[in-house]
Amino acid sequence: MRDAAPVDHATATGPGRPSLGERRRAALRLDIAREAVRLFTSQGVTATTGDQIAQAVGISTRTLWRHFPTKESCVRPLLTAGLDAATDELLRRWPPDSALLDFLTATCRHGGLPSADPAVLDLIRMTHTEPALRAVWLQAHDDALSVLAELLARRSGRSPGDLRVRVHAATVNGALRAAAEDFALRFSDDVDASDDELAACVHAALRAASEGLPY
């Protein structure tokens, strides 16, 4: 698949605030991701072409390749959005006087987790049979490690490069990935699976992580 051409990034209109052009690009990328997942789910990854994805979104194939290098990478914005939401909900609001697991337990009990996106769940299920999608899923989590490390380092007063911080960030990251996969696979036939079940998966995964190695 051809490489993507460089994307021209607009200048932000203020500190930390994306410009109108950036917001439009982000919205377009999400539209592309959702159409890619829909097509992958309905007809398979192999049978889906970049031309079909572009046509479904209403853009040219050339525009599609300006945003993504491969058809599989088109799904990346959905995964990134889900990870960003989880990070915001689970860590940015973590009170300074609360242990992480206690805070997460309370968050899960009170419905504080982001709702499960059906498209993301379909995508996660496909990562178990489609190696190229699996690579995108794992890369999205790998990229999230630096964000998690920054947040945990700020809380602990250590450097983001500190080994303990990096191990803790990897542990939280792995627990969130395992919980998402567990929920997506176990409730694949239950379209009415509630956010409570997702919260239970997240809580169980993080509790297991907090218990450390079993030997």
Side-chain angles (χ1 to χ4, degrees), residues 21-165:
E22 288 172 328
R23 294 197 298 273
R24 285 175 174 169
R25 275 192 292 276
L28 174 59
R29 286 169 62 85
L30 272 174
D31 286 344
I32 292 171
R34 290 190 180 280
E35 288 300 332
V37 171
R38 183 182 66 79
L39 288 168
F40 291 164
T41 302
S42 63
Q43 62 186 33
V45 175
T46 301
T48 300
T49 66
D51 290 339
Q52 290 175 325
I53 297 171
Q55 184 177 13
V57 180
I59 59 175
S60 69
T61 304
R62 183 175 181 178
T63 297
L64 179 75
W65 298 139
R66 283 209 305 269
H67 287 273
F68 300 101
T70 66
K71 64 182 180 182
E72 292 87 358
S73 66
C74 289
V75 305
R76 177 73 178 275
L78 270 177
L79 299 177
T80 302
L83 283 170
D84 287 347
T87 300
D88 285 338
E89 293 294 335
L90 297 181
L91 293 175
R92 295 192 191 281
R93 297 190 296 105
W94 178 16
D97 58 347
S98 175
L100 178 57
L101 187 60
D102 291 341
F103 166 64
L104 293 173
T105 299
T107 299
C108 291
R109 284 176 178 169
H110 295 93
L113 291 177
S115 294
D117 186 327
V120 173
L121 296 179
D122 286 340
L123 178 54
I124 292 173
R125 284 188 280 269
M126 283 189 286
T127 65
H128 284 264
T129 56
E130 296 289 345
L133 293 181
R134 184 71 177 176
V136 177
W137 171 234
L138 295 178
Q139 185 62 55
H141 273 275
D142 190 62
D143 291 345
L145 273 175
S146 60
V147 177
L148 291 169
E150 287 283 351
L151 291 169
L152 294 178
R154 194 178 310 148
R155 180 60 175 263
S156 66
R158 297 173 180 266
S159 163
D162 182 270
L163 179 60
R164 286 178 59 85
V165 171

Side-chain angles (χ1 to χ4, degrees), residues 100-101 105 168 171-172 175 203-215:
L100 178 57
L101 187 60
T105 299
H168 291 158
T171 300
V172 172
H203 183 258
L206 289 167
R207 179 170 291 282
S210 73
E211 292 170 353
L213 296 174
Y215 46 83

